[in-house]
Each structure stands twice: as structure tokens, then as C-alpha cells.
């Protein structure tokens, strides 16, 4: 019916608006953590720790470093995933 279609359309529009406003990290990590260590980043991307280190060394991923401690922003990881998808198309 028209009422059901209208309800569905409104739900879709609200969902898309919320998706656009809520940072990716807030949606994915229940503990609110935004920066991941290399091992966590590797697990998130489904690659080896060495692969993450290579991506950072090659400048494909940006890292936050303080001495020997390296952290990666989950939003940068999500951007890397999206860019990798676009390159395959």
C-alpha cells in the first residue's frame, strides 16, 4: 500500500542520514576505541601484521606514532578498504 511504501521510504532516508553522520569507528567498536595497534589493525583488515607494517612504510596507511608505539586510526583503515574496492572495479 501507499502508506507502507511511504513508511519504508522514510525509514530508508533516516537510516541513510544517520549513517552519514555517525563516524565509522563509533559504529564498529563497542568500546569506543578509535586507534588500533598493528596487530588489531591486521585483524581488522584480515591481513598479516607485516602487511600492515608494509602499508605504513609505503605510505598507503597513515599511522600515529609515539616512540615505538604505533597506532592506526580505524577510519583510515575503512578508507583504505574503500579505496581497495574502487581499484578492483
Amino acid at each position: 500500500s501507499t502508506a507502507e511504501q511511504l513508511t519504508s521510504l522514510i525509514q530508508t532516508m533516516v537510516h541513510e542520514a544517520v549513517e552519514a553522520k555517525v563516524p565509522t569507528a563509533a559504529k564498529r567498536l563497542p568500546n569506543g576505541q578509535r586507534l588500533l595497534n598493528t596487530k588489531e589493525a591486521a585483524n581488522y583488515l584480515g591481513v598479516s601484521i607485516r602487511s600492515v607494517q608494509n602499508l605504513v612504510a609505503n605510505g598507503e596507511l597513515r599511522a600515529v606514532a609515539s616512540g615505538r608505539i604505533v597506532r592506526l586510526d580505524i577510519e583510515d583503515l575503512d578508507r583504505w578498504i574503500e579505496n581497495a574496492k574502487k581499484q578492483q572495479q
Side-chain angles (χ1 to χ4, degrees):
S1 75
T2 304
E4 289 171 347
Q5 290 173 332
L6 183 57
T7 300
S8 177
L9 178 61
I10 291 170
Q11 288 173 337
T12 301
M13 291 173 67
V14 169
H15 177 74
E16 288 173 359
V18 169
E19 288 288 314
K21 297 289 181 191
V22 176
T24 305
K27 292 186 285 186
R28 288 228 167 79
L29 299 175
N31 60 2
Q33 182 182 2
R34 179 173 170 179
L35 298 177
L36 305 178
N37 64 32
T38 329
K39 181 179 180 181
E40 293 166 331
N43 287 335
Y44 186 79
L45 295 175
V47 299
S48 69
I49 294 171
R50 189 73 182 133
S51 292
V52 171
Q53 293 168 336
N54 288 338
L55 290 168
V56 171
N58 295 335
E60 293 182 56
L61 277 176
R62 296 182 299 173
V64 178
S66 176
R68 291 179 48 118
I69 298 173
V70 175
R71 298 280 187 256
L72 294 103
D73 188 325
I74 193 168
E75 292 181 11
D76 289 334
L77 300 179
D78 285 337
R79 260 191 296 282
W80 183 84
I81 292 168
E82 291 305 314
N83 288 336
K85 285 187 207 175
K86 290 176 187 172
Q87 290 176 0
Q88 290 180 356
Q89 294 177 349

